[in-house]
Amino acid sequence: MNRSRLAAATVTAAMAAAAAVGFAPLAVAAPAAAPSVCVSDLQAAQTSNNAAIAADQVNNTLAARTANLSTATSLVAAIGDCAGQVPVVGANVLTASASNAVALVYNLLSASASALSAEQATASALTQALAVAT
């Protein structure tokens, strides 16, 4: 008990001394907050989905499939990590997951044009989720 009173008194005295000298100890610029795990997952999904789009634009379904699997992995992580977000984030994550699964199937069938359309839908859902996610 005495230690906490002593610590509180020391902090109070230090702040009073700093204020008297003209320094504001808490006014230092705080480092920029790192993005949440949810946002990081969504950004990773967006990056790999962009790679899938690029691969499908040149009819490289093998590279697109790999990128689709990476996107799926990030989206599975986002489902759990975005649980505390507003409902629209979760809805967009589920939409992106569904359209990414469709893209993966089309890439397995070597249908780049159809896969590209599904990947663009995934990109749209991810953009909408990132617009609201914190």
Side-chain angles (χ1 to χ4, degrees), residues 36-46 74-75 77-79 81-82:
S36 70
V37 178
C38 172
V39 171
S40 295
D41 290 342
L42 294 173
Q43 288 171 335
Q46 187 176 48
S74 296
L75 287 169
I79 288 171
D81 292 336
C82 296

Side-chain angles (χ1 to χ4, degrees), residues 11-131:
V11 169
T12 303
M15 289 177 66
V21 177
F23 294 107
L26 299 177
V28 237
S36 70
V37 178
C38 172
V39 171
S40 295
D41 290 342
L42 294 173
Q43 288 171 335
Q46 187 176 48
T47 299
S48 58
N49 188 62
N50 288 342
I53 289 172
D56 273 326
Q57 287 174 334
V58 294
N59 294 322
N60 186 348
T61 56
L62 179 59
R65 274 195 309 259
T66 302
N68 290 145
L69 289 172
S70 177
T71 302
T73 302
S74 296
L75 287 169
V76 166
I79 288 171
D81 292 336
C82 296
Q85 299 285 329
V86 293
V88 72
V89 173
N92 280 308
V93 169
L94 292 176
T95 300
S97 298
S99 58
N100 183 64
V102 169
L104 179 58
V105 170
Y106 279 131
N107 276 316
L108 286 169
L109 298 172
S110 297
S112 286
S114 298
L116 184 59
S117 177
E119 288 157 358
Q120 288 167 339
T122 302
S124 175
L126 287 170
T127 300
Q128 291 175 33
L130 279 166

